[in-house]
């Protein structure tokens, strides 16, 4: 994993035809009946394998949510490991959605456990991190990412309704908290810009705040935006367009429930893998059409 993360990501988006990231947020009780006959760990691993096989030529990346695996203990972590390996074998990039944020040695341990060849599953391609203990907490993660050709996505403007209570607070210098964090991300990311002109240090910016996304895009032209909120959370194509640069690049749009549980809204005669693939394909095509129209 020596090639620059952002360069690999841009190549994957080009290869698959769209900036699609499928979020793996598996809930055992919602998995297809055929999988629920196995243990939780086995069911999670089988579901991840099935989703990966279904979207491998449609999505650029998958984003396993660590909480969905960790709640099942050792068996869940084994399923996460199997999922990371399966995704990498299928040519998909892996964004570990862990939202880690800690200081010093603890941050270093978190980074070592999730990034790099000795990490779980051989390491994710990127990791989500929280900046709210201060910029020094990001340094160990950034060091690990740079060392292993991986990436970070720093929480800047999240899609949850309660984010306004903190992220839009106004500081004495006139900036909002999310803008101050954005400026820190730019400073941190300037040291690891790839040939694609994008940094390995990106930002999480939700689809549910398109006006804020437009402001933050101007503030962070070299950051890749990881964009949650599309699909089940209400975000659509028009909402995510401000996350892209003028050339239609620079954002990775993630959808979880609307894709991985698409079979719940389909006729029983449609296999669950086909339903997942159809939903991911529709998302890719919608984004591609919106980007062409927006350009």
């Amino acid at each position: 994993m020596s090639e620059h993360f952002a360069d690999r990501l841009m190549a994957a988006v080009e290869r698959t035809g769209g900036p699609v990231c499928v979020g793996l947020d598996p809930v055992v009780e919602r998995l297809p009946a055929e999988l629920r006959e196995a243990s939780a760990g086995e069911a999670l691993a089988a579901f991840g394998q099935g989703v990966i096989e279904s979207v491998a030529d449609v999505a650029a990346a998958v984003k396993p949510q660590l909480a969905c695996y960790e709640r099942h203990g050792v068996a869940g972590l084994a399923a996460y490991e199997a999922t990371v390996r399966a995704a990498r074998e299928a040519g998909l990039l892996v964004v570990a959605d862990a939202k880690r944020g800690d200081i010093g040695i603890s941050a270093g341990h978190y980074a070592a456990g999730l990034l790099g060849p000795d990490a779980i599953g051989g390491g994710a391609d990127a990791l989500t991190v929280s900046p709210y203990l201060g910029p020094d907490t990001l340094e160990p993660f950034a060091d690990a990412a740079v060392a292993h050709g991986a990436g970070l996505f720093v929480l800047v403007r999240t899609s949850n309704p309660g984010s306004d209570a903190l992220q839009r607070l106004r500081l004495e210098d006139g900036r909002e908290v999310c803008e101050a964090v954005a400026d820190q991300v730019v400073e941190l990311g300037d040291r690891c810009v790839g040939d694609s002109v994008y940094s390995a240090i990106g930002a999480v910016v939700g689809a549910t705040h398109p006006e804020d996304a437009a402001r933050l895009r101007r503030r962070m032209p070299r950051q890749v935006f990881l964009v949650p909120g599309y699909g089940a959370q209400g975000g659509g194509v028009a909402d995510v367009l401000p996350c892209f640069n003028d050339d239609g690049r620079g954002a990775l749009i993630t959808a979880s429930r609307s894709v991985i549980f698409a079979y719940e809204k389909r006729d029983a005669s449609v296999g669950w893998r086909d339903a997942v693939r159809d939903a991911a394909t529709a998302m890719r095509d919608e984004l591609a059409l919106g980007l062409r129209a927006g350009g």
Side-chain angles (χ1 to χ4, degrees), residues 99-115 127-130 133-145 152:
K99 300 181 180 68
R100 299 296 192 233
D102 212 327
I103 59 175
I105 293 174
S106 298
H109 285 313
Y110 280 133
L114 293 167
L115 299 174
L127 172 66
T128 59
V129 292
S130 173
L133 269 69
D136 59 317
T137 66
L138 298 177
E139 289 289 345
F141 294 105
D143 290 343
L152 296 181

Side-chain angles (χ1 to χ4, degrees), residues 156 168 176 178-179 182-183 186 190 198 203 205 209-225 241-246 249-250:
V156 174
R168 294 211 65 184
E176 294 180 354
C178 63
E179 293 172 328
D183 292 344
V186 169
D190 278 348
Y198 286 100
V205 178
H209 308 293
E211 293 182 0
D212 292 346
R215 289 189 295 113
L216 292 168
R217 173 45 77 195
R218 291 190 293 271
R219 213 170 191 106
M220 296 185 287
R222 291 185 174 182
Q223 267 56 53
V224 179
F225 283 14
L241 289 180
C243 295
F244 293 88
N245 277 314
D246 291 341
R249 301 166 73 228

Side-chain angles (χ1 to χ4, degrees), residues 46-288:
F47 184 67
Q49 180 74 47
V51 171
I52 286 164
E53 292 174 354
S54 299
V55 306
D57 61 346
V58 176
V62 290
K63 183 175 67 64
Q65 168 53 256
L66 266 292
C68 295
Y69 297 88
E70 290 174 343
R71 66 167 293 184
H72 297 286
V74 173
L77 285 176
Y80 168 76
E81 180 176 25
T83 299
V84 172
R85 294 193 185 279
R88 294 175 64 81
E89 290 172 2
L92 287 159
L93 275 69
V94 179
V95 179
D97 194 359
K99 300 181 180 68
R100 299 296 192 233
D102 212 327
I103 59 175
I105 293 174
S106 298
H109 285 313
Y110 280 133
L114 293 167
L115 299 174
D118 297 327
I120 300 173
D125 295 276
L127 172 66
T128 59
V129 292
S130 173
Y132 289 102
L133 269 69
D136 59 317
T137 66
L138 298 177
E139 289 289 345
F141 294 105
D143 290 343
V146 171
H148 299 301
L152 296 181
F153 288 107
V154 182
L155 302 178
V156 174
R157 187 72 176 101
T158 57
S159 57
N160 57 301
S163 62
D164 286 5
L166 174 61
Q167 294 166 14
R168 294 211 65 184
L169 289 177
R170 187 74 63 178
L171 304 176
E172 289 183 359
D173 62 9
R175 294 179 299 171
E176 294 180 354
V177 168
C178 63
E179 293 172 328
V181 174
D183 292 344
Q184 292 172 2
V185 171
V186 169
E187 182 177 357
L188 185 66
D190 278 348
R191 67 179 180 176
C192 49
V193 175
D195 294 337
S196 62
V197 309
Y198 286 100
S199 173
I201 312 299
V204 175
V205 178
T208 51
H209 308 293
E211 293 182 0
D212 292 346
R215 289 189 295 113
L216 292 168
R217 173 45 77 195
R218 291 190 293 271
R219 213 170 191 106
M220 296 185 287
R222 291 185 174 182
Q223 267 56 53
V224 179
F225 283 14
L226 179 67
V227 185
Y230 187 93
Q233 293 188 52
V237 174
D239 299 304
V240 303
L241 289 180
C243 295
F244 293 88
N245 277 314
D246 291 341
D247 62 359
R249 301 166 73 228
L252 182 64
I253 313 303
T254 178
S256 302
R257 288 168 290 170
S258 60
V259 174
I260 66 171
F261 297 136
Y263 52 85
E264 293 179 336
K265 296 183 178 180
R266 296 287 296 273
D267 186 272
S269 63
V270 179
W272 70 267
R273 292 174 178 82
D274 289 335
V276 167
R277 178 178 176 79
D278 290 348
T281 301
M283 176 183 172
R284 180 196 63 184
D285 295 347
E286 289 167 0
L287 289 170

